[in-house]
Amino acid sequence: MTKALFLDSVFQDRIWGGTKLRDFFGYTIPSETTGEYWAISAHPHGPSTVKNDAYKGKTLIELWEQEPALFGNPKEAVFPLLTKILDANTDLSVQVHPDDAYAKEHENGELGKTECWYIIDCEPGAELVYGHNATSKEQLIEWTRDGKWSELLRKVAIKPGDFFYVPSGTIHALCTGTLVLETQQSSDTTYRVYDYDRVDDHGNKRELHLGKAIDVTTVPHHDAVLDIKTETTGALTKTTFVDSDFFAVYKWDINGKADFTATAPYTLVSVLDGEATLTIDGDTTPIKKADHFLLPNTCKNWTINGKVSCIVSTPAK
C-alpha cells in the first residue's frame, strides 16, 4: 500500500456552531449549527472512514488495530492524534483539559488533551481566551465561585495565520467569528469552567465541571514558548509551528513542484487552500482545498505539484 488514505469524517453539532464549514470549505453540513469536523480521527466518538482503494470503508480505528504496519507498528494502544476544523460562530465555553495521568485515572483511561490552533480565518477584532490571571489555586477558586470572569480570564487578539499551543491545564476558549484547524491528542475530555449562562433548546444550562477543572488547571498560567521557524526550499515554504512531546505541526505552502521524504512513521495532511497533484511511486492523485489524507508508513517519498497550503502533523518522535 503506497497510496495516501483519503478520509471521510464526522460532523459534530454544537450550540456555538454555524455554517462556515459549508461556506468556506464547501462541505455538506448536517445543520446550521455545525461546530466541528473531525477531519482525521480514530476516536470512537467520531471515527474517519477511508474512501479510496484497498481499505475503502474501513475506519481509522480498524486500520490502527488490524494493519499496524501502515503506522510503523506503533506501541500506542490507540491512534494518538486528532485533526479537527472548528467553526466558532459564537463563543465556546471557557474550558480546560487534563493531562494523561489525570485522564487515565478519572476518565476511564482516556488520553489527556494537549492541543493547538491554526487560525484559518476570523472576523476583524476577533480574540480568544488563553490563560488566566489567578496567582494561586485559592484565588482561582474564589474568582470562579464569585463569577469574576473579567478579572480571571486573559483575552488575546488574533488574526488569520496565528498559531497557539494549548498544553493540558491551560484555561482557554475560542470566541465568536473564528475558524480554526485544531491538532490535538485523541481525546474528547473537556472540563467546562464557564458557559456564559447559555441554555439549550429545552432551557437547560450545560453542565460545568469546576471541581475537575480546578484540579487540573495550571496555576499560575504560563504562555507556551514557541520557536516558530520558516524555511523555503525551491517551491516549498515550510513553517514549523511546534515539535512537542505529543505531536509536531507544520504548514506547507507549495507553489510549483516539491519533493518530500518521510521523517515520521506517518503524516496527516489537511489542505486548506488551492489544488495540486500528489504523486507516490508514479501514481498521481489530485488534491484540493478541504481534502484530508494520511500518508502511511509505506509512503517513503512523495511529490506535490501545484499551488496549495496545507497544515501537516506527525506523531511525537
Side-chain angles (χ1 to χ4, degrees):
M1 176 71 185
T2 55
K3 293 186 177 182
L5 303 174
F6 287 81
L7 301 167
D8 271 331
S9 296
V10 175
F11 293 95
Q12 306 280 359
D13 194 78
R14 297 289 186 256
I15 193 172
W16 40 263
T19 62
K20 283 186 180 176
L21 288 164
R22 178 188 66 205
D23 302 341
F24 193 91
F25 284 106
Y27 297 125
T28 301
I29 58 175
S31 76
E32 301 293 294
T33 52
T34 301
E36 303 184 13
Y37 184 51
W38 290 25
I40 305 176
S41 168
H43 194 281
H45 292 175
S48 300
T49 303
V50 179
K51 62 180 183 179
N52 65 305
D53 294 312
Y55 298 112
K56 184 175 181 179
K58 291 269 190 181
T59 68
L60 200 49
I61 297 173
E62 290 172 321
L63 283 190
W64 183 262
E65 294 173 348
Q66 298 169 11
E67 304 286 348
L70 291 175
F71 307 94
N73 295 306
K75 296 178 181 179
E76 300 98 330
V78 297
F79 186 78
L81 302 181
L82 175 54
T83 300
K84 296 178 181 176
I85 301 178
L86 287 76
D87 172 13
N89 186 51
T90 60
D91 294 341
L92 274 68
S93 61
V94 178
Q95 55 195 246
V96 65
H97 305 303
D99 63 14
D100 286 344
Y102 191 95
K104 182 178 181 180
E105 180 178 353
H106 296 275
E107 304 297 338
N108 299 314
E110 176 94 322
L111 291 178
K113 191 174 176 184
T114 285
E115 62 190 22
C116 58
W117 300 322
Y118 176 80
I119 310 299
I120 300 171
D121 195 24
C122 61
E123 296 177 357
E127 56 189 6
L128 53 78
V129 174
Y130 186 77
H132 63 85
N133 295 312
T135 58
S136 67
K137 285 279 188 177
E138 292 75 20
Q139 190 172 55
L140 177 65
I141 292 167
E142 176 189 341
W143 285 1
T144 54
R145 180 193 65 208
D146 296 343
K148 294 184 176 180
W149 305 114
S150 59
E151 290 95 333
L152 177 64
L153 302 177
R154 295 176 67 241
K155 291 195 172 183
V156 180
I158 62 172
K159 65 184 184 303
D162 283 348
F163 180 85
F164 293 86
Y165 187 63
V166 188
S168 59
T170 304
I171 287 180
H172 62 278
L174 297 175
C175 297
T176 298
T178 308
L179 185 66
V180 168
L181 185 140
E182 178 175 286
T183 303
Q184 59 159 92
Q185 290 181 269
S186 184
S187 172
D188 198 22
T189 298
T190 293
Y191 301 147
R192 293 193 195 99
V193 178
Y194 177 53
D195 196 38
Y196 309 97
D197 297 319
R198 287 182 292 203
V199 296
D200 62 20
D201 293 339
H202 304 288
N204 301 313
K205 293 182 181 179
R206 292 199 295 173
E207 181 183 6
L208 301 180
H209 316 93
L210 285 175
K212 289 181 176 179
I214 289 167
D215 279 350
V216 305
T217 297
T218 301
V219 182
H221 167 78
H222 298 285
D223 284 352
V225 178
L226 297 175
D227 182 20
I228 297 175
K229 297 177 180 178
T230 299
E231 55 184 342
T232 298
T233 305
L236 170 67
T237 297
K238 176 182 176 182
T239 301
T240 301
F241 287 122
V242 68
D243 190 351
S244 75
D245 293 337
F246 304 100
F247 42 68
V249 178
Y250 312 93
K251 185 166 187 266
W252 295 343
D253 289 300
I254 300 167
N255 189 6
K257 182 181 179 182
D259 296 319
F260 296 86
T261 298
T263 59
Y266 51 92
T267 302
L268 284 59
V269 182
S270 297
V271 185
L272 298 187
D273 198 19
E275 56 185 33
T277 56
L278 169 68
T279 301
I280 306 170
D281 285 354
D283 184 76
T284 297
T285 304
I287 60 173
K288 64 185 186 308
K289 178 180 180 176
D291 282 346
H292 305 270
F293 57 92
L294 186 150
L295 294 161
N297 189 255
T298 48
C299 296
K300 304 300 185 183
N301 299 280
W302 60 90
T303 298
I304 296 177
N305 190 358
K307 185 175 176 59
V308 286
S309 293
C310 307
I311 296 294
V312 179
S313 61
T314 56
K317 294 183 177 66

